[in-house]
Amino acid sequence: MSSTDAADDRGTRPDPTGGCPVQRVAMISVHTSPLEQPGQGDAGGMNVYVLESARELGRRGIEVEIFTRRTTAAQPDLVEAAPGVRVRFVDAGPYEGLGKDDLPGQLCAFTAGVMRVLAGLPEGYFDLVHSHYWLSGQVAWLVADRWRLPIVHSMHTMARVKNAQLAADDSPEPPGREIGEEQVVRAASWLVANTASERRELIELYAADPDRVHVVSPGVDLATFTPGDRAAARAELGLGDDEDVLLFVGRIQPLKGPDVLVRAAARLRAARPDRRLVVAVLGAPSGSGLRHPTWLSDLVSELGLDEVVRLLPPVDRPTLAQWYRAADLLAVPSFSESFGLVAVEAAGCATPTVAARVGGLPTAVGDGGVLVDGHDPRVWAETLGALLDDPEARRELGERALRHAQDFGWDRTADQLLELYRTACRQGEQAPHDQPLAGVPTAVIP
Protein backbone atom coordinates (compact mmCIF):
# COMPACT_ATOMS: atom_id res chain seq x y z
CA MET A 1 0.00 0.00 0.00
CA SER A 2 1.22 3.45 -0.84
CA SER A 3 2.44 5.44 2.13
CA THR A 4 0.19 8.27 0.97
CA ASP A 5 -3.00 6.38 1.88
CA ALA A 6 -4.74 8.35 4.59
CA ALA A 7 -5.14 6.60 7.93
CA ASP A 8 -8.87 7.31 8.01
CA ASP A 9 -9.27 5.54 4.64
CA ARG A 10 -7.80 2.34 6.04
CA GLY A 11 -10.23 1.81 8.87
CA THR A 12 -9.22 1.48 12.50
CA ARG A 13 -5.51 0.73 12.62
CA PRO A 14 -4.59 -2.41 14.56
CA ASP A 15 -2.77 -1.85 17.81
CA PRO A 16 0.87 -2.96 17.23
CA THR A 17 1.65 -3.20 20.96
CA GLY A 18 -1.53 -4.61 22.47
CA GLY A 19 -2.00 -7.64 20.21
CA CYS A 20 -1.52 -11.17 21.50
CA PRO A 21 1.24 -13.45 20.19
CA VAL A 22 0.42 -15.35 16.99
CA GLN A 23 2.10 -18.71 16.45
CA ARG A 24 -0.08 -20.66 14.01
CA VAL A 25 -2.45 -19.55 11.25
CA ALA A 26 -4.88 -21.71 9.28
CA MET A 27 -5.30 -20.33 5.76
CA ILE A 28 -8.17 -21.57 3.62
CA SER A 29 -8.13 -21.46 -0.19
CA VAL A 30 -10.88 -23.81 -1.35
CA HIS A 31 -11.03 -23.33 -5.09
CA THR A 32 -7.40 -23.05 -6.05
CA SER A 33 -4.16 -24.37 -4.64
CA PRO A 34 -1.37 -21.86 -4.04
CA LEU A 35 0.94 -24.37 -5.69
CA GLU A 36 -0.87 -24.14 -9.06
CA GLN A 37 0.65 -22.25 -12.00
CA PRO A 38 -0.93 -18.76 -12.19
CA GLY A 39 -2.54 -17.87 -15.50
CA GLN A 40 -4.53 -21.03 -16.09
CA GLY A 41 -7.70 -22.57 -14.69
CA ASP A 42 -8.72 -20.59 -11.62
CA ALA A 43 -5.13 -19.79 -10.65
CA GLY A 44 -4.08 -16.16 -10.68
CA GLY A 45 -2.91 -13.37 -8.45
CA MET A 46 -4.68 -14.88 -5.43
CA ASN A 47 -2.48 -17.98 -5.65
CA VAL A 48 0.60 -15.78 -5.58
CA TYR A 49 -0.80 -13.76 -2.68
CA VAL A 50 -1.56 -16.83 -0.53
CA LEU A 51 1.79 -18.53 -1.07
CA GLU A 52 4.03 -15.47 -0.87
CA SER A 53 2.34 -13.99 2.21
CA ALA A 54 2.54 -17.40 3.90
CA ARG A 55 6.24 -17.69 3.06
CA GLU A 56 6.95 -14.29 4.57
CA LEU A 57 4.99 -15.16 7.69
CA GLY A 58 7.00 -18.38 7.89
CA ARG A 59 10.21 -16.35 7.83
CA ARG A 60 8.90 -14.52 10.90
CA GLY A 61 8.45 -17.76 12.79
CA ILE A 62 4.69 -18.08 12.16
CA GLU A 63 3.52 -21.57 11.20
CA VAL A 64 0.97 -21.48 8.36
CA GLU A 65 -1.16 -24.40 7.17
CA ILE A 66 -3.05 -23.81 3.92
CA PHE A 67 -6.15 -25.96 3.32
CA THR A 68 -7.13 -26.43 -0.32
CA ARG A 69 -9.16 -28.88 -2.40
CA ARG A 70 -7.48 -31.94 -3.88
CA THR A 71 -7.82 -31.86 -7.68
CA THR A 72 -5.76 -34.92 -8.69
CA ALA A 73 -5.24 -38.32 -7.12
CA ALA A 74 -1.49 -37.70 -7.23
CA GLN A 75 -1.65 -34.88 -4.68
CA PRO A 76 -0.53 -36.05 -1.23
CA ASP A 77 -2.29 -35.11 1.98
CA LEU A 78 0.44 -32.69 2.99
CA VAL A 79 3.17 -30.73 1.19
CA GLU A 80 5.92 -28.66 2.79
CA ALA A 81 5.78 -25.58 0.56
CA ALA A 82 8.40 -23.53 2.43
CA PRO A 83 9.92 -23.38 5.91
CA GLY A 84 6.98 -23.06 8.27
CA VAL A 85 4.40 -23.39 5.46
CA ARG A 86 2.40 -26.56 4.80
CA VAL A 87 -0.32 -27.15 2.22
CA ARG A 88 -3.03 -29.68 3.15
CA PHE A 89 -5.11 -31.20 0.36
CA VAL A 90 -8.71 -32.01 1.31
CA ASP A 91 -11.07 -34.36 -0.53
CA ALA A 92 -14.28 -32.64 -1.62
CA GLY A 93 -16.04 -34.00 -4.69
CA PRO A 94 -14.46 -35.49 -7.82
CA TYR A 95 -10.81 -34.64 -8.27
CA GLU A 96 -11.32 -33.36 -11.80
CA GLY A 97 -14.14 -31.84 -13.82
CA LEU A 98 -15.42 -29.41 -11.20
CA GLY A 99 -15.29 -25.70 -11.97
CA LYS A 100 -15.38 -22.91 -9.44
CA ASP A 101 -19.13 -22.49 -9.96
CA ASP A 102 -19.67 -26.14 -8.94
CA LEU A 103 -17.91 -25.80 -5.60
CA PRO A 104 -20.72 -24.35 -3.43
CA GLY A 105 -22.17 -27.87 -3.49
CA GLN A 106 -18.90 -29.24 -2.09
CA LEU A 107 -18.46 -26.82 0.80
CA CYS A 108 -19.97 -29.24 3.30
CA ALA A 109 -17.55 -31.99 2.26
CA PHE A 110 -14.59 -29.61 2.32
CA THR A 111 -15.53 -28.22 5.73
CA ALA A 112 -15.91 -31.72 7.13
CA GLY A 113 -12.40 -32.57 5.89
CA VAL A 114 -10.92 -29.47 7.52
CA MET A 115 -12.74 -30.17 10.77
CA ARG A 116 -11.46 -33.74 10.85
CA VAL A 117 -7.91 -32.44 10.63
CA LEU A 118 -8.47 -29.87 13.35
CA ALA A 119 -10.20 -32.40 15.61
CA GLY A 120 -6.93 -34.35 15.71
CA LEU A 121 -4.93 -31.34 16.88
CA PRO A 122 -4.62 -29.97 20.41
CA GLU A 123 -7.21 -27.40 21.42
CA GLY A 124 -5.96 -23.89 20.65
CA TYR A 125 -3.50 -25.19 18.02
CA PHE A 126 -4.41 -22.40 15.60
CA ASP A 127 -4.68 -18.79 16.70
CA LEU A 128 -6.90 -17.65 13.83
CA VAL A 129 -8.27 -18.45 10.37
CA HIS A 130 -7.40 -16.38 7.29
CA SER A 131 -9.72 -17.24 4.40
CA HIS A 132 -9.31 -16.22 0.76
CA TYR A 133 -12.31 -15.71 -1.58
CA TRP A 134 -15.93 -16.10 -0.51
CA LEU A 135 -16.03 -19.91 -0.78
CA SER A 136 -13.21 -20.14 1.74
CA GLY A 137 -14.95 -17.59 3.94
CA GLN A 138 -17.96 -19.90 4.19
CA VAL A 139 -15.70 -22.68 5.45
CA ALA A 140 -13.85 -20.36 7.82
CA TRP A 141 -17.16 -19.21 9.30
CA LEU A 142 -18.04 -22.76 10.42
CA VAL A 143 -14.51 -23.73 11.47
CA ALA A 144 -14.03 -20.55 13.48
CA ASP A 145 -17.43 -20.93 15.15
CA ARG A 146 -16.59 -24.49 16.22
CA TRP A 147 -13.13 -23.70 17.59
CA ARG A 148 -13.87 -20.12 18.72
CA LEU A 149 -11.26 -18.55 16.43
CA PRO A 150 -11.20 -15.06 14.92
CA ILE A 151 -11.62 -14.83 11.15
CA VAL A 152 -9.51 -12.62 8.90
CA HIS A 153 -10.96 -12.69 5.38
CA SER A 154 -9.72 -11.46 1.99
CA MET A 155 -12.37 -11.21 -0.74
CA HIS A 156 -9.95 -10.80 -3.69
CA THR A 157 -12.95 -10.35 -6.04
CA MET A 158 -16.62 -9.53 -5.40
CA ALA A 159 -19.72 -10.45 -7.35
CA ARG A 160 -21.36 -7.04 -7.17
CA VAL A 161 -18.23 -5.34 -8.45
CA LYS A 162 -17.77 -7.80 -11.32
CA ASN A 163 -21.44 -7.68 -12.31
CA ALA A 164 -21.33 -3.91 -12.54
CA GLN A 165 -18.43 -4.06 -15.02
CA LEU A 166 -19.16 -7.08 -17.22
CA ALA A 167 -17.46 -7.49 -20.56
CA ALA A 168 -19.67 -8.06 -23.61
CA ASP A 169 -20.98 -11.64 -23.76
CA ASP A 170 -19.62 -12.41 -20.26
CA SER A 171 -21.85 -14.12 -17.71
CA PRO A 172 -22.87 -12.40 -14.46
CA GLU A 173 -22.03 -13.90 -11.10
CA PRO A 174 -25.02 -15.77 -9.62
CA PRO A 175 -27.18 -14.38 -6.79
CA GLY A 176 -26.03 -17.22 -4.53
CA ARG A 177 -22.52 -15.83 -4.57
CA GLU A 178 -23.77 -12.39 -3.50
CA ILE A 179 -25.64 -13.96 -0.58
CA GLY A 180 -22.56 -15.97 0.39
CA GLU A 181 -20.39 -12.88 0.29
CA GLU A 182 -22.82 -10.97 2.50
CA GLN A 183 -22.63 -13.78 5.04
CA VAL A 184 -18.85 -13.78 5.04
CA VAL A 185 -18.66 -9.99 5.43
CA ARG A 186 -20.85 -10.22 8.54
CA ALA A 187 -19.05 -13.24 9.96
CA ALA A 188 -15.47 -12.00 9.61
CA SER A 189 -13.63 -10.44 12.53
CA TRP A 190 -11.56 -8.41 10.07
CA LEU A 191 -11.76 -7.90 6.31
CA VAL A 192 -8.59 -7.33 4.31
CA ALA A 193 -8.95 -5.10 1.25
CA ASN A 194 -6.23 -4.89 -1.39
CA THR A 195 -6.76 -1.17 -1.96
CA ALA A 196 -8.63 1.81 -0.58
CA SER A 197 -11.11 1.50 -3.47
CA GLU A 198 -11.85 -2.12 -2.54
CA ARG A 199 -12.39 -1.01 1.05
CA ARG A 200 -14.99 1.50 -0.13
CA GLU A 201 -16.69 -1.19 -2.24
CA LEU A 202 -16.97 -3.48 0.79
CA ILE A 203 -18.53 -0.69 2.81
CA GLU A 204 -20.84 0.67 0.12
CA LEU A 205 -21.90 -2.55 -1.61
CA TYR A 206 -21.83 -5.01 1.31
CA ALA A 207 -22.46 -2.77 4.33
CA ALA A 208 -19.17 -3.83 5.93
CA ASP A 209 -18.31 -2.23 9.26
CA PRO A 210 -15.72 0.45 8.32
CA ASP A 211 -13.83 -0.16 11.56
CA ARG A 212 -13.21 -3.78 10.57
CA VAL A 213 -11.96 -3.27 7.00
CA HIS A 214 -8.20 -2.84 6.78
CA VAL A 215 -6.17 -2.13 3.63
CA VAL A 216 -3.16 -4.38 3.08
CA SER A 217 -1.82 -4.24 -0.48
CA PRO A 218 -0.39 -7.38 -2.08
CA GLY A 219 3.33 -7.53 -2.65
CA VAL A 220 5.72 -8.46 -5.41
CA ASP A 221 8.82 -10.64 -5.44
CA LEU A 222 11.42 -7.89 -5.81
CA ALA A 223 14.22 -10.45 -5.98
CA THR A 224 12.76 -12.03 -9.15
CA PHE A 225 11.08 -9.09 -10.86
CA THR A 226 14.04 -6.80 -11.39
CA PRO A 227 15.37 -4.68 -14.26
CA GLY A 228 17.62 -6.51 -16.68
CA ASP A 229 19.25 -6.55 -20.08
CA ARG A 230 16.46 -5.92 -22.58
CA ALA A 231 18.45 -7.14 -25.57
CA ALA A 232 19.42 -10.35 -23.77
CA ALA A 233 15.81 -10.97 -22.74
CA ARG A 234 14.62 -10.51 -26.32
CA ALA A 235 17.32 -12.78 -27.68
CA GLU A 236 16.31 -15.49 -25.18
CA LEU A 237 12.64 -15.20 -26.15
CA GLY A 238 13.18 -15.00 -29.90
CA LEU A 239 12.24 -11.33 -30.26
CA GLY A 240 13.98 -8.80 -32.47
CA ASP A 241 15.53 -5.56 -31.21
CA ASP A 242 13.51 -3.54 -33.74
CA GLU A 243 10.12 -5.03 -32.84
CA ASP A 244 7.43 -3.20 -30.88
CA VAL A 245 6.42 -5.69 -28.18
CA LEU A 246 3.13 -5.50 -26.31
CA LEU A 247 2.58 -8.03 -23.52
CA PHE A 248 -0.57 -9.45 -21.93
CA VAL A 249 -0.28 -11.72 -18.87
CA GLY A 250 -3.37 -13.38 -17.42
CA ARG A 251 -6.14 -15.89 -17.82
CA ILE A 252 -7.88 -15.93 -21.20
CA GLN A 253 -11.44 -14.89 -20.40
CA PRO A 254 -13.63 -11.89 -21.27
CA LEU A 255 -13.16 -10.38 -17.79
CA LYS A 256 -9.46 -9.83 -18.50
CA GLY A 257 -10.10 -8.16 -21.86
CA PRO A 258 -7.37 -9.73 -24.03
CA ASP A 259 -9.64 -9.17 -27.05
CA VAL A 260 -9.45 -5.43 -26.40
CA LEU A 261 -5.69 -5.61 -26.89
CA VAL A 262 -6.01 -7.79 -30.00
CA ARG A 263 -8.49 -5.39 -31.61
CA ALA A 264 -6.25 -2.44 -30.71
CA ALA A 265 -3.32 -4.27 -32.32
CA ALA A 266 -5.33 -4.63 -35.54
CA ARG A 267 -5.80 -0.85 -35.62
CA LEU A 268 -2.11 -0.28 -34.91
CA ARG A 269 -1.20 -2.56 -37.78
CA ALA A 270 -3.67 -0.87 -40.15
CA ALA A 271 -2.39 2.61 -39.26
CA ARG A 272 1.27 1.61 -39.64
CA PRO A 273 1.70 -1.48 -41.85
CA ASP A 274 5.47 -1.00 -41.63
CA ARG A 275 5.43 -1.37 -37.82
CA ARG A 276 7.07 -4.62 -36.69
CA LEU A 277 4.49 -5.38 -34.03
CA VAL A 278 4.45 -8.36 -31.69
CA VAL A 279 1.64 -9.01 -29.22
CA ALA A 280 2.56 -11.74 -26.73
CA VAL A 281 -0.35 -13.23 -24.76
CA LEU A 282 0.72 -15.43 -21.84
CA GLY A 283 -2.18 -17.36 -20.37
CA ALA A 284 -4.71 -20.16 -20.75
CA PRO A 285 -8.51 -20.27 -21.11
CA SER A 286 -10.36 -19.86 -17.83
CA GLY A 287 -13.78 -19.09 -16.38
CA SER A 288 -16.35 -18.11 -18.98
CA GLY A 289 -13.59 -18.34 -21.60
CA LEU A 290 -13.80 -22.14 -21.32
CA ARG A 291 -17.20 -22.17 -23.02
CA HIS A 292 -15.38 -21.43 -26.28
CA PRO A 293 -11.68 -22.14 -25.59
CA THR A 294 -10.58 -20.95 -29.06
CA TRP A 295 -12.45 -17.63 -28.96
CA LEU A 296 -9.29 -15.52 -28.77
CA SER A 297 -7.34 -17.46 -31.40
CA ASP A 298 -10.40 -17.30 -33.65
CA LEU A 299 -10.46 -13.51 -33.25
CA VAL A 300 -6.75 -13.31 -34.04
CA SER A 301 -7.27 -15.22 -37.28
CA GLU A 302 -10.39 -13.23 -38.17
CA LEU A 303 -8.40 -9.99 -37.87
CA GLY A 304 -5.48 -11.37 -39.90
CA LEU A 305 -3.05 -11.15 -36.97
CA ASP A 306 -1.68 -14.70 -36.90
CA GLU A 307 1.83 -13.38 -37.61
CA VAL A 308 1.51 -10.63 -35.00
CA VAL A 309 -0.13 -12.25 -31.97
CA ARG A 310 1.66 -15.05 -30.14
CA LEU A 311 -0.66 -17.08 -27.90
CA LEU A 312 1.60 -18.72 -25.33
CA PRO A 313 0.97 -20.80 -22.20
CA PRO A 314 1.70 -19.45 -18.70
CA VAL A 315 5.37 -19.53 -17.73
CA ASP A 316 7.36 -19.77 -14.53
CA ARG A 317 8.35 -16.60 -12.71
CA PRO A 318 11.96 -16.28 -13.95
CA THR A 319 10.73 -16.62 -17.55
CA LEU A 320 7.89 -14.21 -16.86
CA ALA A 321 10.39 -11.66 -15.60
CA GLN A 322 12.25 -12.00 -18.89
CA TRP A 323 9.03 -11.30 -20.80
CA TYR A 324 8.46 -8.14 -18.75
CA ARG A 325 12.04 -6.99 -19.47
CA ALA A 326 11.63 -7.72 -23.18
CA ALA A 327 8.32 -5.90 -23.57
CA ASP A 328 7.93 -2.25 -24.45
CA LEU A 329 4.60 -2.11 -22.62
CA LEU A 330 2.40 -4.35 -20.51
CA ALA A 331 -1.31 -4.05 -21.35
CA VAL A 332 -3.95 -4.77 -18.68
CA PRO A 333 -7.36 -4.09 -20.30
CA SER A 334 -9.36 -5.86 -17.56
CA PHE A 335 -13.00 -5.01 -16.93
CA SER A 336 -12.53 -5.67 -13.21
CA GLU A 337 -9.42 -6.14 -11.06
CA SER A 338 -9.23 -6.18 -7.28
CA PHE A 339 -5.56 -5.23 -7.60
CA GLY A 340 -3.65 -6.18 -10.75
CA LEU A 341 -0.48 -7.88 -9.53
CA VAL A 342 1.00 -8.18 -13.03
CA ALA A 343 1.30 -4.38 -13.22
CA VAL A 344 3.52 -4.34 -10.13
CA GLU A 345 5.56 -7.28 -11.40
CA ALA A 346 6.20 -5.40 -14.65
CA ALA A 347 7.05 -2.27 -12.66
CA GLY A 348 9.69 -4.24 -10.76
CA CYS A 349 11.28 -4.93 -14.16
CA ALA A 350 11.05 -1.20 -15.08
CA THR A 351 8.40 -1.86 -17.72
CA PRO A 352 5.48 0.60 -17.85
CA THR A 353 1.86 -0.51 -17.96
CA VAL A 354 -1.15 0.69 -19.92
CA ALA A 355 -4.19 -0.36 -17.89
CA ALA A 356 -7.92 0.16 -17.68
CA ARG A 357 -8.97 2.60 -14.99
CA VAL A 358 -10.89 0.02 -12.96
CA GLY A 359 -10.72 -1.47 -9.46
CA GLY A 360 -7.28 -1.61 -7.93
CA LEU A 361 -5.35 -0.94 -11.14
CA PRO A 362 -4.77 2.78 -10.40
CA THR A 363 -3.04 1.69 -7.18
CA ALA A 364 -1.05 -1.08 -8.86
CA VAL A 365 0.06 1.13 -11.77
CA GLY A 366 0.72 4.34 -9.81
CA ASP A 367 2.70 6.86 -11.81
CA GLY A 368 4.54 4.10 -13.67
CA GLY A 369 2.06 3.84 -16.51
CA VAL A 370 -1.01 5.21 -18.22
CA LEU A 371 -4.66 4.56 -17.33
CA VAL A 372 -7.30 4.30 -20.06
CA ASP A 373 -10.96 5.11 -19.50
CA GLY A 374 -13.13 2.40 -21.00
CA HIS A 375 -12.33 -0.45 -23.39
CA ASP A 376 -12.74 1.11 -26.84
CA PRO A 377 -10.05 -0.49 -29.06
CA ARG A 378 -9.63 2.83 -30.89
CA VAL A 379 -8.65 4.61 -27.68
CA TRP A 380 -6.37 1.76 -26.67
CA ALA A 381 -4.68 1.81 -30.08
CA GLU A 382 -4.09 5.55 -29.85
CA THR A 383 -2.65 5.28 -26.34
CA LEU A 384 -0.42 2.30 -27.09
CA GLY A 385 0.73 3.72 -30.44
CA ALA A 386 1.68 7.08 -28.94
CA LEU A 387 3.86 5.38 -26.31
CA LEU A 388 5.42 2.94 -28.79
CA ASP A 389 6.45 5.94 -30.88
CA ASP A 390 7.93 7.80 -27.88
CA PRO A 391 10.84 5.84 -26.36
CA GLU A 392 11.74 8.72 -24.04
CA ALA A 393 8.26 8.72 -22.52
CA ARG A 394 8.50 4.96 -22.01
CA ARG A 395 11.90 5.34 -20.38
CA GLU A 396 10.59 7.94 -17.93
CA LEU A 397 7.54 5.83 -17.12
CA GLY A 398 9.76 2.79 -16.60
CA GLU A 399 11.89 4.67 -14.08
CA ARG A 400 8.78 5.79 -12.22
CA ALA A 401 7.41 2.25 -12.33
CA LEU A 402 10.57 0.85 -10.78
CA ARG A 403 10.40 3.35 -7.91
CA HIS A 404 6.71 2.59 -7.46
CA ALA A 405 7.35 -1.17 -7.19
CA GLN A 406 9.68 -0.72 -4.22
CA ASP A 407 6.65 0.07 -2.03
CA PHE A 408 5.16 -3.39 -2.64
CA GLY A 409 7.54 -5.97 -1.21
CA TRP A 410 5.96 -9.07 0.33
CA ASP A 411 7.82 -8.33 3.57
CA ARG A 412 5.71 -5.23 4.01
CA THR A 413 2.52 -7.16 3.27
CA ALA A 414 3.42 -9.81 5.85
CA ASP A 415 4.27 -7.21 8.49
CA GLN A 416 0.86 -5.57 8.08
CA LEU A 417 -0.95 -8.91 8.11
CA LEU A 418 0.85 -9.98 11.26
CA GLU A 419 -0.06 -6.71 12.95
CA LEU A 420 -3.69 -7.34 11.99
CA TYR A 421 -3.56 -10.97 13.15
CA ARG A 422 -2.37 -9.91 16.59
CA THR A 423 -5.20 -7.47 16.98
CA ALA A 424 -7.75 -10.02 15.70
CA CYS A 425 -6.53 -12.51 18.32
CA ARG A 426 -6.69 -9.94 21.09
CA GLN A 427 -10.24 -9.02 20.11
CA GLY A 428 -11.28 -12.62 19.40
CA GLU A 429 -13.90 -12.75 22.12
CA GLN A 430 -15.68 -9.85 20.42
CA ALA A 431 -15.57 -11.36 16.91
CA PRO A 432 -18.70 -10.76 14.81
CA HIS A 433 -19.16 -14.49 14.14
CA ASP A 434 -19.97 -14.87 17.85
CA GLN A 435 -23.16 -12.86 17.24
CA PRO A 436 -26.35 -13.88 15.39
CA LEU A 437 -26.33 -12.89 11.72
CA ALA A 438 -29.67 -11.10 11.72
CA GLY A 439 -31.50 -11.15 8.41
CA VAL A 440 -28.95 -13.39 6.67
CA PRO A 441 -29.91 -16.87 5.42
CA THR A 442 -28.02 -19.71 7.10
CA ALA A 443 -27.27 -21.62 3.91
CA VAL A 444 -25.50 -20.78 0.68
CA ILE A 445 -27.75 -20.90 -2.37
CA PRO A 446 -25.73 -22.57 -5.16
Side-chain angles (χ1 to χ4, degrees):
M1 180 180 55
S2 171
S3 59
T4 60
D5 279 333
D8 61 357
D9 202 24
R10 294 177 51 182
T12 302
R13 281 192 58 85
D15 179 0
T17 59
C20 68
V22 175
Q23 295 178 311
R24 296 187 184 92
V25 174
M27 284 194 183
I28 301 179
S29 179
V30 173
H31 77 282
T32 178
S33 166
L35 303 183
E36 291 291 329
Q37 167 67 51
Q40 61 187 17
D42 290 317
M46 193 187 93
N47 296 64
V48 178
Y49 185 108
V50 173
L51 184 58
E52 292 303 318
S53 61
R55 280 175 172 167
E56 285 295 332
L57 290 167
R59 293 188 181 104
R60 287 154 178 75
I62 311 300
E63 295 181 25
V64 181
E65 293 204 10
I66 305 168
F67 294 81
T68 192
R69 194 178 77 88
R70 194 192 315 272
T71 55
T72 70
Q75 289 170 329
D77 291 338
L78 191 66
V79 171
E80 298 282 346
V85 180
R86 303 198 294 180
V87 178
R88 287 189 179 271
F89 291 95
V90 177
D91 287 324
Y95 294 152
E96 299 176 359
L98 287 184
K100 188 166 57 177
D101 293 341
D102 300 316
L103 293 183
Q106 300 302 321
L107 289 183
C108 182
F110 187 90
T111 304
V114 174
M115 285 187 164
R116 279 194 292 270
V117 172
L118 268 63
L121 299 173
E123 187 170 346
Y125 185 83
F126 289 111
D127 298 300
L128 62 91
V129 181
H130 187 170
S131 50
H132 296 269
Y133 194 67
W134 77 274
L135 294 170
S136 302
Q138 289 281 319
V139 177
W141 178 12
L142 297 176
V143 169
D145 188 63
R146 168 63 179 82
W147 273 275
R148 314 303 291 175
L149 298 173
I151 303 170
V152 174
H153 180 74
S154 298
M155 279 293 196
H156 293 283
T157 64
M158 292 176 279
R160 287 174 181 161
V161 176
K162 293 178 70 173
N163 287 346
Q165 302 168 338
L166 280 179
D169 300 324
D170 205 357
S171 301
E173 295 296 317
R177 175 177 172 180
E178 293 188 26
I179 294 172
E181 289 175 342
E182 287 180 335
Q183 293 172 326
V184 171
V185 165
R186 295 192 185 209
S189 312
W190 285 89
L191 293 163
V192 177
N194 286 334
T195 63
S197 63
E198 184 182 351
R199 178 177 183 271
R200 289 191 291 273
E201 290 164 348
L202 280 164
I203 295 167
E204 295 170 4
L205 299 179
Y206 290 87
D209 180 351
D211 289 337
R212 292 192 177 274
V213 187
H214 188 66
V215 176
V216 178
S217 290
V220 64
D221 182 356
L222 295 174
T224 297
F225 297 103
T226 61
D229 187 323
R230 177 175 176 272
R234 289 197 167 199
E236 178 181 328
L237 299 170
L239 299 167
D241 286 338
D242 60 343
E243 291 177 321
D244 291 336
V245 180
L246 301 176
L247 177 64
F248 173 94
V249 178
R251 288 166 286 169
I252 308 304
Q253 59 184 85
L255 176 72
K256 299 293 184 179
D259 54 309
V260 175
L261 175 59
V262 170
R263 293 182 188 280
R267 290 181 173 275
L268 286 171
R269 185 76 179 276
R272 283 267 311 276
D274 61 318
R275 187 190 296 275
R276 297 199 61 199
L277 182 65
V278 172
V279 178
V281 177
L282 276 59
S286 173
S288 58
L290 289 170
R291 292 197 301 266
H292 184 187
T294 63
W295 69 280
L296 190 62
S297 60
D298 291 347
L299 177 63
V300 169
S301 297
E302 177 188 325
L303 296 175
L305 296 177
D306 291 297
E307 295 182 359
V308 172
V309 179
R310 303 184 186 183
L311 300 177
L312 304 169
V315 296
D316 59 31
R317 291 199 298 178
T319 305
L320 179 57
Q322 285 291 71
W323 273 105
Y324 288 135
R325 296 178 189 121
D328 291 297
L329 296 167
L330 173 72
V332 188
S334 301
F335 285 79
S336 178
E337 276 301 342
S338 64
F339 184 62
L341 186 60
V342 294
V344 188
E345 291 175 345
C349 299
T351 297
T353 294
V354 176
R357 193 189 300 274
V358 298
L361 282 170
T363 299
V365 173
D367 63 354
V370 175
L371 298 173
V372 179
D373 293 313
H375 299 83
D376 186 335
R378 292 173 297 180
V379 178
W380 277 80
E382 291 170 2
T383 305
L384 293 167
L387 286 172
L388 289 175
D389 293 336
D390 192 343
E392 181 59 24
R394 294 201 311 276
R395 184 191 64 77
E396 291 181 3
L397 285 174
E399 291 176 354
R400 294 177 192 170
L402 181 58
R403 289 194 296 269
H404 177 66
Q406 306 314 303
D407 288 335
F408 290 91
W410 284 114
D411 55 345
R412 183 174 182 178
T413 301
D415 286 342
Q416 292 176 342
L417 284 177
L418 184 53
E419 185 181 327
L420 182 59
Y421 290 170
R422 288 170 176 155
T423 300
C425 286
R426 179 170 60 84
Q427 297 179 350
E429 294 182 357
Q430 306 164 13
H433 67 83
D434 288 342
Q435 307 299 324
L437 301 185
V440 179
T442 57
V444 177
I445 299 175

